[in-house]
C-alpha cells in the first residue's frame, strides 16, 4: 500500500447482474434510470433533479430527498468514459469533490455483466462510514433496477 493509499478511504464492490452491459451502462448514464436507483435507503431521487453531460469534463448532478423533504444535492465531473465499459468520475457535493469513482463493466456469458465499482475518498472526507453505507445501499438499488444480483 502506498503512502497515498494509506490516506484514502476505499470502497470496492463487485457484482454480477443478469443484464447486458449496455443496460448497466445506461443505468449509470441516463437521467431517468439514474433517478430510480441513485440514492441510499430512505431517500429518493426525483427524475427532474438529475442532469447528465456525458462527456469528459462534463458534469452530472442529482438531488436526493429524505422523508421530511430535506434535499441533498450531489454529483461530479466525468474524468474518463469508454462506453460501455468504463466510467470514471469525481463525486461529492456541487462545490466540493470528496471522492473518485471508477466503474468497470465486463461483458459475460448469458447476457450478464460484471461490475467492478471502486470509490476512493480523501481520508478527511466527512463521515466516510455513512458515504460507504450509502453507496452500498445505492448499488443494491442498482441491482434491483437492472436485474438480480449474483455474487
Amino acid at each position: 500500500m502506498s503512502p497515498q493509499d494509506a490516506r484514502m478511504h476505499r470502497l470496492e464492490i463487485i457484482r454480477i447482474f443478469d443484464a447486458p452491459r449496455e443496460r448497466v451502462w445506461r443505468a449509470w448514464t441516463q437521467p431517468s434510470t439514474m433517478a430510480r436507483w441513485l440514492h441510499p435507503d430512505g431517500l429518493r431521487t426525483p427524475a427532474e433533479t438529475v442532469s447528465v453531460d456525458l462527456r469528459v469534463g462534463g458534469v452530472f448532478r442529482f438531488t436526493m430527498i429524505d422523508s421530511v423533504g430535506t434535499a441533498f444535492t450531489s454529483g461530479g465531473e466525468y474524468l474518463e468514459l469508454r462506453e460501455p465499459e468504463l466510467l470514471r468520475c469525481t463525486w461529492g457535493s456541487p462545490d466540493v469533490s470528496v471522492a473518485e469513482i471508477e466503474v468497470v463493466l465486463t461483458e459475460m456469458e448469458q447476457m450478464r455483466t460484471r461490475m467492478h465499482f471502486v470509490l476512493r475518498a480523501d481520508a478527511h472526507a466527512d463521515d466516510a462510514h455513512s458515504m460507504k453505507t450509502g453507496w452500498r445501499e445505492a448499488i443494491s438499488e442498482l441491482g434491483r433496477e437492472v436485474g438480480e444480483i449474483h455474487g
Side-chain angles (χ1 to χ4, degrees):
M1 179 184 312
S2 74
Q4 182 180 12
D5 289 341
R7 294 188 304 267
M8 301 293 283
H9 292 285
R10 180 181 169 97
L11 173 64
E12 186 170 6
I13 300 172
I14 296 172
R15 293 287 186 271
I16 297 174
F17 299 114
D18 281 336
R21 182 167 61 169
E22 290 76 15
R23 182 173 177 198
V24 180
W25 176 264
R26 285 191 308 269
W28 277 98
T29 60
Q30 288 186 344
S32 60
T33 309
M34 291 166 69
R36 292 194 295 266
W37 72 268
L38 194 51
H39 50 79
D41 295 347
L43 283 85
R44 61 186 176 82
T45 302
E48 65 273 11
T49 71
V50 183
S51 64
V52 172
D53 180 5
L54 192 61
R55 62 183 175 83
V56 172
V59 298
F60 65 98
R61 295 279 182 264
F62 60 99
T63 301
M64 301 170 288
I65 299 175
D66 69 13
S67 61
V68 296
T70 305
F72 306 91
T73 300
S74 190
E77 178 181 336
Y78 293 109
L79 303 172
E80 186 176 1
L81 296 163
R82 287 196 318 253
E83 183 176 351
E85 64 188 73
L86 173 70
L87 183 152
R88 199 168 58 82
C89 61
T90 62
W91 177 77
S93 68
D95 299 322
V96 180
S97 292
V98 297
E100 186 175 302
I101 292 173
E102 181 176 275
V103 178
V104 177
L105 303 175
T106 305
E107 197 167 46
M108 300 178 66
E109 294 179 356
Q110 300 176 340
M111 301 294 285
R112 291 186 176 155
T113 301
R114 178 185 188 268
M115 182 193 75
H116 185 185
F117 169 94
V118 179
L119 177 139
R120 294 175 189 88
D122 186 328
H124 301 292
D126 292 337
D127 204 357
H129 174 74
S130 177
M131 176 176 46
K132 289 178 180 181
T133 298
W135 274 104
R136 281 187 194 101
E137 291 171 357
I139 297 295
S140 291
E141 287 293 322
L142 173 61
R144 287 186 277 280
E145 174 65 29
V146 300
E148 182 179 312
I149 298 175
H150 298 277

